[in-house]
């Protein structure tokens, strides 16, 4: 019986040692932008080491944003990334005045995931299903027509 208790105790101790709080050099993270009047109030949750997740409501199809740490502008990241469709993976590499951009998106709720160590981020739709695009013209091109789009009946 003592051997079983010892093994069980070691097993439980291993589980306790494996569990730890997520770490980041920052105490909070936000996604300020035109969608929230550039508000740096923390809006993200630390879910893994250096990984923050938060949902933002984008009310227009185009806009700009950044990631900002510690409830202010002292530490923030932007860059040259421009998001045109989701899900999107990009990087906020520069701690400068340059803003990240999005254009052509459906207004609604988007999940932002940001790694404060690598500066990589992901942006994905979390609203109702996106509408299916409607195509009015479809053209087939290839060697048979010199790779030139033209009238086609399909």
């Amino acid at each position: 019986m003592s051997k079983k208790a010892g093994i069980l105790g070691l097993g439980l101790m291993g589980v306790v040692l494996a569990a730890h709080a997520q770490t980041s050099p920052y105490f909070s993270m936000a996604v300020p932008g035109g969608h929230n009047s550039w508000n740096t109030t923390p809006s993200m949750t630390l879910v893994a080491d250096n990984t923050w997740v938060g949902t933002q409501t984008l009310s227009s199809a185009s806009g700009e944003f950044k990631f900002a740490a510690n409830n202010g502008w002292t530490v923030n990241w932007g860059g040259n990334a421009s998001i045109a469709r989701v899900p999107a993976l990009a990087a906020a590499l520069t701690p400068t005045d340059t803003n990240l951009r999005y254009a052509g998106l459906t207004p609604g709720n988007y999940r932002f995931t940001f790694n404060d160590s690598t500066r990589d981020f992901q942006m994905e739709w979390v609203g109702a299903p996106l509408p299916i695009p409607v195509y009015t013209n479809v053209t087939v091109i290839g060697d048979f027509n010199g790779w030139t789009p033209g009238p086609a009946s399909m």
Side-chain angles (χ1 to χ4, degrees), residues 97-120:
D97 291 335
T98 307
N99 298 330
L100 301 161
R101 293 175 179 79
Y102 60 91
L105 300 182
T106 299
N109 293 329
Y110 289 82
R111 180 180 303 113
F112 290 80
T113 304
F114 178 64
N115 184 298
D116 63 42
S117 176
T118 65
R119 309 306 197 278
D120 291 335

Side-chain angles (χ1 to χ4, degrees), residues 75-103:
V75 180
N76 70 85
W77 300 273
N80 295 323
S82 184
I83 307 302
R85 63 179 173 209
V86 291
L89 298 171
L93 297 177
T94 56
T96 66
D97 291 335
T98 307
N99 298 330
L100 301 161
R101 293 175 179 79
Y102 60 91

Side-chain angles (χ1 to χ4, degrees), residues 20-73:
H20 71 282
Q22 294 81 13
T23 61
S24 170
Y26 310 104
F27 64 82
S28 69
M29 193 66 60
V31 186
H35 61 280
N36 63 7
S37 301
W38 296 95
N39 188 341
T40 61
T41 299
S43 59
M44 303 183 85
T45 302
L46 187 63
V47 296
D49 289 346
N50 304 100
T51 303
W52 300 84
V53 174
T55 300
Q56 299 288 308
T57 301
L58 305 181
S59 57
S60 66
S62 301
E64 297 182 340
F65 66 96
K66 289 184 160 204
F67 294 97
N70 299 340
N71 203 22
W73 288 107

